Amino acid sequence: MNRLRVVAMSVAALAGAGLLAVGPAALAGRARSQTTTSSPAGCATAAATDGTEKVMPGSSGEMAGMSGMADDAAHPSMRALRDKLAHTPSGGTMNVQPGVYRGELVIDHPVTLVGIGHPTLQGDGTGTVLTIRAPGTIVRDLMIEGSGPGPVDNPAGVRVQADDVVVKNLHIRDTYTGIWVEDVKGAQVVGNFIEGRKEVAVSGESPRTGAGMDMAGMVMKSDKGAARDGRGDGISLFNAVLPVVTGNTITDARDGVYFEYGSGT
């Protein structure tokens, strides 16, 4: 077993200090209801000639409706995003407009997914937020947050399950593992900023605030009580062939970059 751990540091800092050299590698590819309508509470209504009610302009109900529209703009529908993705042809480019998209997203055919103004894909805290299953997919310029707690099933911000995938310029936070790459060839993980869950502990340790050694001097404990486990790696590569990992900044992770098996890194 070929296994290397790199402790949680900025990958850029590691490279600058001569501790980690990660450079371009030759890439080889292989395929792998009904609705009802009612007036908002508090709005004025008037009887129409057909016996129905209409909302009067300038009423408090109209203002409430305008507020609701603003909320919708801030939190666009993940369903609409999935539908747009389904209708994007293979090899096409799909722009994700600004806003917060709540839920999990799976890419199952090759596209280039580009965030405009770093929109957020926000998971519900139960699994992986973005899963890439299509070879040749490119994902860039997104904010990703809210994976499951781990360590069971190793939930991640992004899970790469296809060859020749590029994951670039993402900001990933509040996830167990930042980017998980497994059993694929030619993955490129470039220029991402990954923030681990510093409020939870690596197994056998505690958060850095208020921590101290036990009497045996072996296990870190918090002076505020036992800390919950749940901090994974920034970037995890398992049986990855010819991956390129460069220009990433990683903080508060278990290991900044973790390698197990694989070749040509």
Side-chain angles (χ1 to χ4, degrees):
M1 177 170 66
N2 177 17
R3 178 170 175 167
L4 170 65
R5 283 180 175 268
V6 182
V7 295
M9 295 175 60
S10 163
V11 175
L14 285 171
L19 299 177
L20 174 64
V22 182
L27 301 179
R30 61 175 174 81
R32 302 221 310 168
S33 74
Q34 287 183 348
T35 60
T36 59
T37 303
S38 60
S39 299
C43 56
T45 59
T49 56
D50 58 2
T52 61
E53 291 184 338
K54 295 182 178 180
V55 179
M56 295 294 289
S59 66
S60 60
E62 185 180 62
M63 297 302 293
M66 292 175 62
S67 175
M69 289 173 63
D71 290 343
D72 289 342
H75 302 289
S77 168
M78 175 60 82
R79 179 180 299 178
L81 186 66
R82 291 170 181 152
D83 184 66
K84 184 177 179 181
L85 176 61
H87 288 87
T88 301
S90 294
T93 297
M94 172 181 159
N95 292 330
V96 182
Q97 298 303 317
V100 179
Y101 299 81
R102 294 173 172 167
E104 298 176 358
L105 183 66
V106 176
I107 299 177
D108 56 9
H109 65 286
V111 297
T112 296
L113 195 70
V114 181
I116 306 301
H118 268 79
T120 299
L121 304 185
Q122 185 180 78
D124 61 6
T126 60
T128 290
V129 183
L130 174 63
T131 301
I132 303 173
R133 296 176 178 165
T137 293
I138 300 172
V139 176
R140 60 183 178 89
D141 304 327
L142 297 170
M143 172 82 75
I144 296 177
E145 60 184 25
S147 81
V152 177
D153 296 328
N154 195 26
V158 179
R159 182 180 294 270
V160 177
Q161 296 181 320
D163 294 342
D164 301 315
V165 167
V166 178
V167 179
K168 184 176 182 179
N169 294 340
L170 303 185
H171 184 175
I172 301 174
R173 63 186 182 188
D174 188 27
T175 62
Y176 179 70
T177 294
I179 301 172
W180 172 264
V181 179
E182 180 178 8
D183 292 329
V184 301
K185 184 183 294 182
Q188 297 186 52
V189 182
V190 180
N192 303 286
F193 181 60
I194 302 171
E195 299 177 273
R197 289 173 167 164
K198 63 183 177 182
E199 74 278 5
V200 297
V202 175
S203 297
E205 300 178 2
S206 70
R208 23 183 215 200
T209 55
M213 302 297 291
D214 68 359
M215 292 184 65
M218 297 297 291
V219 180
M220 293 294 291
K221 293 184 177 180
S222 169
D223 58 12
K224 296 183 179 180
R228 177 172 62 89
D229 291 347
R231 195 187 310 181
D233 302 321
I235 299 170
S236 186
L237 306 171
F238 183 85
N239 198 27
V241 177
L242 297 174
V244 174
V245 180
T246 184
N248 301 281
T249 300
I250 301 166
T251 65
D252 298 303
R254 177 174 59 193
D255 291 330
V257 179
Y258 176 80
F259 303 82
E260 190 168 357
Y261 301 103
S263 62
T265 305

